[in-house]
Amino acid sequence: MKFHVMTLFPEMIEQGFHSSITGRAMEKGLLQLDAVNIRDYAVNKHMRVDDYPYGGGAGMVMQAEPVYRCYEAVKEKIGRDVRVIYLTPQGRVFNQKMAEEFAAEEDLIFLCGHYEGIDERVLEEIVTDPVSIGDYVLTGGELPSLVMMDAISRLVPGVLGNDMSAVGESFADSLLEYPQYSRPAVWREKEVPEVLLSGHHANVDAWRREQSVIRTAKWRPDLLETAQLTKKERILAEKILASEGEL
Ligand code: 6GU
């Protein structure tokens, strides 16, 4: 997977991506990053890339031409048309299913805006996927693009230590993850649930599944609509929902 990021803050993208698991995956050659500075494609000697909005109003707007020239340069390097993700609070809200879909691509271009946005005409020309990471407003698209690249990267084969870790976790089947415990068995008088020390794998699996159902009912009841539950699990979830209502 190769990520091409068009941004006014390439160092921010590089710093964020070179750390931790994604950094190691880059060293292994599983992931590649090309952070491109839109300012390098400015069309005036002052290297300005923003101007006042037509019609007035607060803030500045990123101009169409530097963004377009930057895009052309990136596309030239890739050698074919690829999806262009524009990070904007007005986009489709990012989720795990979208991460899986993007992870199947060979190359992805991310366009990070700043100020009050980007001239609409260049967006119409190049953007294929406007994406938001949630209903709140950030100062720019850099953090959202790092969030998306992280979620996509861990789905690329080999990026996580063992290939199993990416499956059977939160949202894969619309249920939250079960709680995890490690040594010591007693910490500040709090004990690890006994079943986990039993060595009885079927009982462990059943307990974990039940914990997932309970957690989802308590914390994310909206997910229960799409979750595939057995009749017994439905009843358990209903019971939790009813008792949560009493609190
Ligand atoms: Cl993608 N961009 C900005 N600026 N703010 C956001 C966002 C994106 N997603 C949520 N808030």
Side-chain angles (χ1 to χ4, degrees):
M1 168 68 71
K2 183 160 184 181
F3 299 115
H4 309 260
V5 186
M6 298 164 50
T7 170
L8 290 172
F9 300 93
E11 5 33 85
M12 184 173 172
I13 299 293
E14 275 154 9
Q15 290 227 345
F17 203 70
H18 279 78
S19 339
S20 179
I21 290 178
T22 47
R24 238 170 297 139
M26 291 230 301
E27 285 162 21
K28 284 199 261 173
L30 296 166
L31 303 174
Q32 288 175 276
L33 172 67
D34 184 22
V36 186
N37 196 337
I38 295 169
R39 198 174 298 282
D40 292 345
Y41 299 88
V43 287
N44 57 69
K45 59 177 183 290
H46 306 289
M47 290 294 175
R48 295 268 316 251
V49 293
D50 63 325
D51 207 332
Y52 296 99
Y54 276 119
M60 303 294 273
V61 174
M62 282 171 70
Q63 293 168 289
E65 187 61 15
V67 172
Y68 193 70
R69 284 170 38 129
C70 182
Y71 166 74
E72 295 254 87
V74 170
K75 204 176 94 165
E76 180 79 23
K77 271 191 263 186
I78 302 171
R80 64 195 160 78
D81 279 344
V82 306
R83 290 170 85 165
V84 177
I85 298 163
Y86 173 46
L87 290 311
T88 168
Q90 288 144 38
R92 242 180 100 198
V93 178
F94 189 55
N95 61 28
Q96 190 65 23
K97 185 155 167 282
M98 289 158 76
E100 283 164 19
E101 193 187 300
F102 288 128
E105 301 286 336
E106 198 71 37
D107 293 84
L108 287 170
I109 300 176
F110 291 85
L111 171 57
C112 304
H114 250 271
Y115 315 118
E116 292 305 306
I118 302 180
D119 190 306
E120 190 68 19
R121 293 167 295 181
V122 70
L123 299 177
E124 287 171 359
E125 210 56 41
I126 72 174
V127 173
T128 59
D129 299 85
V131 179
S132 163
I133 62 161
D135 291 337
Y136 40 81
V137 181
L138 301 169
T139 55
E142 283 74 19
L143 288 172
S145 76
L146 283 168
V147 165
M148 286 186 66
M149 290 192 288
D150 191 285
I152 293 164
S153 293
R154 58 188 295 294
L155 299 173
V156 171
V159 169
L160 296 183
N162 84 60
D163 274 351
M164 287 304 291
S165 357
V167 293
E169 77 215 297
S170 285
F171 306 116
D173 52 6
S174 287
L175 285 180
L176 299 184
E177 271 289 76
Y178 48 79
Q180 298 277 19
Y181 301 86
S182 185
R183 291 198 291 182
V186 182
W187 174 76
R188 299 199 179 203
E189 288 164 24
K190 289 168 84 79
E191 292 174 15
V192 171
E194 201 176 317
V195 61
L196 299 179
L197 311 175
S198 69
H200 192 303
H201 297 299
N203 286 356
V204 169
D205 288 348
W207 180 85
R208 285 177 166 171
R209 173 83 188 175
E210 186 178 274
Q211 291 297 312
S212 286
V213 174
I214 292 170
R215 274 205 165 181
T216 308
K218 278 189 180 163
W219 295 349
R220 290 294 307 275
D222 56 301
L223 294 177
L224 290 173
E225 283 185 36
T226 41
Q228 300 289 312
L229 299 185
T230 65
K231 227 179 245 160
K232 256 177 89 177
E233 288 170 344
R234 269 290 153 211
I235 291 164
L236 172 61
E238 296 298 336
K239 206 183 85 186
I240 304 287
L241 285 176
S243 68
E244 288 289 301
E246 289 161 19
L247 299 178

